[in-house]
Amino acid sequence: MDLGKVETLVKAQQLRDQFDNLEKHTQWGIDFVEKYTKFVKERSEIEINYAKQIRNLSKKYQPKKNSKEEEENKYSSCRAFLSTLNELNDYAGQHELIAENLTSQIISELTRYTQELKTERKSHFHDGRKAQQHIENSWKQLESSKRRFERDCKEADRAQQYFEKMDADINVTKADVEKRCSHKARQQAQMRHQMAADSKGEYSSYLQKFNQEQNEHYYTLIPHIFQKIQEMEERRIERVGESMKTFAEVDRQVLPIVSKCLDGMTKAAESIEPKSDSKQVVESYKSGFEPPGDVEFEDYGQPMKRTVSESSLSNSRGEAKPEKPSSKSKGKLWPFIKKNKLSLKLGSGPEDFSHLPPEQRRKKLQAKIDDINKEIQKEMDQKDALTKMKDVYVKNPQMGDPSSVDPRLAEISQTIEKLQFEAQKFEGWLAEVEGRLPVKSDPPRRQSGLYETQNNIQTTVNNCAQDRESSPDGSYTEEQSSETQIKVPSTEFDDEFDDEETLPTIGTCKALYPFEGHNEGTISVAEGELLYVIEEDKGDGWTRVRRNEEEEGYVPTSYVEVFLDTNAKADIFCVHHSVNCSPITAV
């Protein structure tokens, strides 16, 4: 094999290897684009899920309607938290926008471009393989003509040598010469030379054609195909770079809005006012009770004059079981039935909010009056509208019957009257509460002067509204005045206390403040008075005491100082459980 043939084969093999390498590399490039597209798609899904979780979180902590959380929005910290939740919801919307832009600007575009890239790559390599196949076929034709020329030349040489050998042999007989016909051998040799000459011409023609095609193949066609593949790769790389830039810009575009959301959170946090919130707490839970006065000095160094209460206390201390009072001076204890307590615990308090402290009660009554006034205004607006409609019907009967509006007007009028009555009722209660609220002044002293002050306040309240007193369960029961003609219904539990056995004494107590016991079941005491304790405070703020055998009732626990007798409590346990206990002298 000559050197030119070897060089041609090497170039063809190298070109084939380059096509294989380029095919592998371009396939890797397509795989890379698909890989990056998948990466962006997963990032988009993360953004969507993150935004969804943020929205759910914001929704979860939003205050519920008609709930305590909604009432707490009066505090600046709660309002700041609500603003933070709203800003966080907007923040989640920006992440949804990121996911949307990633999908539209990168994922969709790269998916479409990948399909175009695959089609273009296939076209380029198809042209390359076609050119490679054409040059290989041309090479095969050249090789075939070359081998044919070589074969014809060898046959011509053999025919020429045979003719010359026959012509130069002197030993050949005349008959053999005639038989072989040297003239025919000469013609055969000439024919072979002619065939060799034709093969040479054909080979020369194919060689010239192949060289021209080979030159065009290696210097024009294949470089052009390689150039297209190179440009395709450069466009792919550039497209990936643009997508990566867009990937960053999508985040950058939402930064101003995200920054505003964060600024809103910061502004909400800076709007928190601790002092304002603390004032809200004071206003919300201010009871309105007047603070107790100073405790006077008691001189135990001077001989004490025993009061009637002390004498009765000392006289009856040794009694294991005092006699049952003959009269019913202790009154009916209907405010202390368990049913009433249960209703207050369940939140179904009385209509006048008497179970609340004065200040809280005033706020509730004022809020109720405001609501009723709004309803009255609403009904008045409807009445005005219907009145105008009736006037239009009167002036233009063809538009409607004026009498058709009368039933609705009558109904609205009745509703307004009911609401006005309700408003008057609550205004009366509000006037009573405002009359009972203490005026800010010097702290009262714990002496008889406080008792006179309370009498004056009580008289004023009785003249303008209803008479109320704190009940033993922490609520405020009421006795209606004669002006409103509303009576407190009697209860079926009255006999429950009448038939109750007289309770034994379990200790003593001293009144720290004066207390007026106008309500049933309570007993009035003067400051410094000593009384028997017959029933401890059960958690409702009231202690049951006895002045003598005829008078007993409840007093506020905070108004007395209790001295319980442990031994007396043990005696009570024996009496209640029918246990034979030895008598124990009370200390």
Side-chain angles (χ1 to χ4, degrees), residues 24 36 103 113 151 165 229 231 272 321 335 343 350 375 394 445 495 502 526 542:
K24 292 178 181 179
Y36 183 74
T103 301
Y113 175 70
R151 184 179 64 251
K165 182 180 178 181
I229 295 175
E231 292 174 356
I272 296 177
K321 185 177 181 181
S343 64
E375 291 293 329
V394 171
R445 299 185 59 82
D495 297 335
T502 302
W542 293 85

Side-chain angles (χ1 to χ4, degrees), residues 169-181:
D169 191 0
I170 57 174
N171 296 323
V172 178
T173 60
K174 186 178 180 179
D176 293 333
V177 173
E178 292 177 356
K179 182 177 180 180
R180 284 181 297 196
C181 189

Side-chain angles (χ1 to χ4, degrees), residues 14 45 71 91 96 109 121 128 145 150 164 178 186 201 211 222 270 336 347 354 357 370 379 382-383 386 388:
Q14 289 177 349
E45 293 174 355
E71 297 178 358
Y91 177 81
E96 291 176 343
E109 291 295 325
R121 172 181 174 273
S145 63
E150 182 181 6
E164 292 177 355
E178 292 177 356
R186 184 181 296 111
N211 287 333
I222 294 301
E270 293 174 350
F336 306 100
S354 58
D370 294 340
E379 295 295 331
Q382 292 185 7
K383 184 177 180 179
L386 289 175
K388 292 180 180 179

Side-chain angles (χ1 to χ4, degrees), residues 77-325:
S77 56
C78 295
R79 293 195 299 270
F81 181 54
L82 180 60
S83 299
T84 301
L85 293 177
N86 294 333
E87 295 292 348
L88 193 64
N89 193 58
D90 296 339
Y91 177 81
Q94 299 308 308
H95 283 275
E96 291 176 343
L97 182 61
I98 290 175
E100 181 180 351
N101 291 338
L102 288 177
T103 301
S104 61
Q105 299 181 21
I106 298 180
I107 299 174
S108 300
E109 291 295 325
L110 285 184
T111 301
R112 181 180 56 81
Y113 175 70
T114 301
Q115 297 300 324
E116 296 176 356
L117 185 62
K118 289 180 179 180
T119 303
E120 183 181 1
R121 172 181 174 273
K122 183 178 180 181
S123 175
H124 293 331
F125 282 98
H126 175 73
D127 294 341
R129 290 191 183 92
K130 184 178 179 181
Q132 188 70 18
Q133 187 66 33
H134 177 75
I135 196 66
E136 289 179 357
N137 292 335
S138 180
W139 170 260
K140 290 179 181 179
Q141 290 179 355
L142 177 62
E143 286 293 311
S144 177
S145 63
K146 183 178 179 180
R147 285 193 297 270
R148 186 164 55 252
F149 170 61
E150 182 181 6
R151 184 179 64 251
D152 291 342
C153 288
K154 290 181 179 179
E155 291 180 354
D157 289 340
R158 284 198 297 270
Q160 183 64 29
Q161 292 175 2
Y162 179 74
F163 170 72
E164 292 177 355
K165 182 180 178 181
M166 292 296 296
D167 186 55
D169 191 0
I170 57 174
N171 296 323
V172 178
T173 60
K174 186 178 180 179
D176 293 333
V177 173
E178 292 177 356
K179 182 177 180 180
R180 284 181 297 196
C181 189
S182 59
H183 180 68
K184 185 177 181 179
R186 184 181 296 111
Q187 290 180 349
Q188 184 68 23
Q190 291 176 353
M191 183 184 66
R192 292 294 179 182
H193 281 291
Q194 184 61 40
M195 290 177 63
D198 294 341
S199 297
K200 181 178 180 181
E202 182 180 359
Y203 169 66
S204 177
S205 175
Y206 274 112
L207 180 60
Q208 183 179 3
K209 179 182 177 182
F210 174 77
N211 287 333
Q212 183 179 359
E213 291 179 351
Q214 179 179 247
N215 185 68
E216 183 180 1
H217 178 79
Y218 284 104
Y219 290 96
T220 303
L221 186 59
I222 294 301
H224 180 68
I225 295 174
F226 282 177
Q227 182 65 30
K228 288 183 177 180
I229 295 175
Q230 181 178 353
E231 292 174 356
M232 179 189 70
E233 275 294 289
E234 290 175 355
R235 287 196 302 272
R236 177 189 66 81
I237 297 171
E238 182 181 5
R239 195 61 173 270
V240 172
E242 292 175 353
S243 299
M244 291 182 177
K245 184 178 179 181
T246 304
F247 183 84
E249 288 298 324
V250 165
D251 266 346
R252 195 186 308 277
Q253 290 172 359
V254 302
L255 286 181
I257 307 300
V258 171
S259 180
K260 289 183 179 179
C261 294
L262 298 178
D263 291 342
M265 296 180 189
T266 303
K267 185 177 180 181
E270 293 174 350
S271 67
I272 296 177
E273 299 178 354
K275 292 185 178 180
S276 176
D277 285 359
S278 63
K279 289 181 180 178
Q280 288 283 354
V281 175
V282 173
E283 291 296 325
S284 298
Y285 299 104
K286 183 167 61 176
S287 65
F289 288 120
E290 187 174 359
D294 297 335
V295 178
E296 292 185 348
F297 176 76
E298 296 184 14
D299 190 358
Y300 289 97
Q302 301 295 329
M304 291 187 298
K305 296 180 180 180
R306 296 188 176 275
T307 63
V308 177
S309 298
E310 291 177 322
S311 301
S312 61
L313 177 63
S314 59
N315 292 336
S316 60
R317 182 180 293 274
E319 298 178 3
K321 185 177 181 181
E323 295 180 1
K324 181 178 179 180

Side-chain angles (χ1 to χ4, degrees), residues 376-393:
I376 292 176
Q377 185 61 41
K378 182 179 179 181
E379 295 295 331
M380 292 293 292
D381 293 341
Q382 292 185 7
K383 184 177 180 179
D384 293 341
L386 289 175
T387 303
K388 292 180 180 179
M389 183 183 296
K390 184 177 180 180
D391 293 341
V392 172
Y393 288 168

Side-chain angles (χ1 to χ4, degrees), residues 43 62 137 179 274 351 360 373 401 421 462 475 560 577:
R43 162 73 190 282
Q62 288 284 347
N137 292 335
K179 182 177 180 180
E351 183 183 11
Q360 300 301 316
N373 289 334
D401 184 8
F421 176 76
N462 287 340
S475 64
V560 295
H577 295 80

